Amino acid sequence: QKEVEQDPGPLSVPEGAIVSLNCTYSNSAFQYFMWYRQYSRKGPELLMYTYSSGNKEDGRFTAQVDKSSKYISLFIRDSQPSDSATYLCAMSRNSGNTPLVFGKGTRLSVIA
Amino acid sequence: EAGVTQFPSHSVIEKGQTVTLRCDPISGHDNLYWYRRVMGKEIKFLLHFVKESKQDESGMPNNRFLAERTGGTYSTLKVQPAELEDSGVYFCASSPYRVGAYEQYFGPGTRLTVT
């Protein structure tokens, strides 16, 4: 069983839609949860970071972590064509100085 | 401030040849990580340096891969001899060495194609 599962999509939505992206994981030692965004031919870029369970909001983006279900989500409100990218969930056991474990990434297209 | 840079951006080599990838981390970042993404799979960890020391090399696939970080600055990843399954995108990431420095800054990657 993979440590992190993420549906690769692709996911195509109209501009303005609410997007929901999800990952599940199997290792209960993960404490730190991240969402990275990757544009074509670029490296991943950190979008959101959450520690343990709970919600975190940043503008149009909301990250949720449910450790009891080993399930994390990223919501994008009022999606824009510029949000079109691959979204990767990543996790680690410690804060800092630790390799990340990634999901496969979900490719999102927001159509104008 | 310059970001993480990687060279070359793309390399095409034949099976059995040698290739060396280079990563220049952000200045002052003691943590340096190598990751690889094979087509259709997730980004996977290869190796972690703290300054010039190998902290964790549990992700290195086999002894055809050799990573170095001389003087704790830039790092190289050599593949010798290259095999077809080594094709993929190799990412380097760096971060400061401290508790709470959770963000890793990624380079654009080197796309390696072994034919």
Side-chain angles (χ1 to χ4, degrees), chain A residues 47-48 56-63 74-78:
Chain A
L47 193 60
M48 299 283 287
K56 186 171 185 179
E57 190 172 317
D58 184 2
R60 296 183 296 110
F61 299 89
T62 300
L74 177 71
F75 297 96
I76 307 174
R77 290 183 299 281
D78 187 24

Side-chain angles (χ1 to χ4, degrees), chain B residues 51-104:
Chain B
K51 295 187 179 179
E52 67 274 9
S53 299
K54 290 177 186 173
Q55 184 78 9
D56 181 355
E57 50 186 328
S58 61
M60 294 287 261
N62 51 60
N63 59 9
R64 295 186 293 103
F65 288 75
L66 175 64
E68 294 181 329
R69 191 179 183 194
T70 308
T73 54
Y74 71 91
S75 174
T76 57
L77 180 64
K78 181 192 285 190
V79 185
Q80 178 182 31
E83 298 288 345
L84 298 179
E85 65 263 25
D86 300 334
S87 295
V89 182
Y90 290 76
F91 291 104
C92 173
S94 73
S95 71
Y97 185 83
R98 64 170 188 262
V99 173
Y102 53 84
E103 181 168 5
Q104 294 184 15

